[in-house]
Each structure stands twice: as C-alpha cells, then as structure tokens.
Amino acid sequence: MAARRLTGLLKTLGPIISPTKCSARSLNTLVSEHTVKWMQDISKKSPMELINEVPPIKVEGRIVACEGDSDPALGHPIEFICLDLKDPAVCKYCGLRYVQDHHH
C-alpha cells in the first residue's frame, strides 16, 4: 500500500524529480530540504500570531455561537461558547476570542 502511494506521489512530482532517478531516499531529501527552507523563513507570522492580533469580539449576550466565518464553506462546526468568566473565551477551532460587553 505504501509503495503504491509513493508511486502515485512520484508521478505527481514528475516535473520536479526524475522518476528514473527517484527513490524513497531522494523523496525524503526533498521533503527535508523543503522543511528546512520553510523553518528558516521567519518573515512570515504563524497562524496563531495572526489570530492573536485580532482583538476580542464584544458580544452582548452570555453565549456566542462561533462558526469561524460567515461563509459555511470557509468556517468550522458551530461552537457555542459561554461568556460568564471575565477573561475572553477562546473558540477551540479558530482561536477567535469573545468577551461579554457589559453596558455600565
């Protein structure tokens, strides 16, 4: 089964790697080089850093329904989040933070 998947992957990577010279070792080398290159690029922010830049969303009620996005194709399963605590509540799927807006 793994050999079949490897063969399929090698066909996909055909323009990148010559199938006649390809082996599991050369594929591992390609993946390792890509990973090292990606890890060295510190100019980009991680997804967690980007989501933490979004300020907590103020909600009037005690419970909020988070879907991740207004478009269901881009969102996540609905999660109902209780906002009884003073600290912002975090959605377990997308990381958005919600806080109850008290009108004082």
Side-chain angles (χ1 to χ4, degrees), residues 7-29:
T7 305
L9 181 61
L10 296 177
K11 287 179 183 176
T12 304
L13 295 174
I16 300 169
I17 301 174
S18 171
T20 57
K21 296 180 181 178
C22 192
S23 66
R25 176 174 276 175
S26 62
L27 183 61
N28 286 339
T29 303

Side-chain angles (χ1 to χ4, degrees), residues 1-92:
M1 177 96 148
R4 203 173 338 146
R5 287 184 182 174
L6 180 60
T7 305
L9 181 61
L10 296 177
K11 287 179 183 176
T12 304
L13 295 174
I16 300 169
I17 301 174
S18 171
T20 57
K21 296 180 181 178
C22 192
S23 66
R25 176 174 276 175
S26 62
L27 183 61
N28 286 339
T29 303
L30 177 69
V31 171
S32 296
E33 289 173 0
H34 174 75
T35 303
V36 168
K37 183 179 175 183
W38 181 80
M39 294 294 287
Q40 289 175 348
D41 187 9
I42 58 171
S43 64
K44 296 179 184 175
K45 293 183 180 180
S46 72
M48 290 306 294
E49 289 172 328
L50 291 172
I51 201 70
N52 284 332
E53 291 179 357
V54 177
I57 300 167
K58 293 183 179 182
V59 180
E60 289 185 22
R62 290 181 50 228
I63 297 176
V64 64
C66 182
E67 295 181 275
D69 193 71
S70 58
D71 183 359
L74 300 176
H76 57 67
I78 191 166
E79 180 187 11
F80 294 95
I81 303 170
C82 183
L83 304 175
D84 287 342
L85 302 175
K86 289 187 179 186
D87 294 334
V90 181
C91 175
K92 66 182 175 187

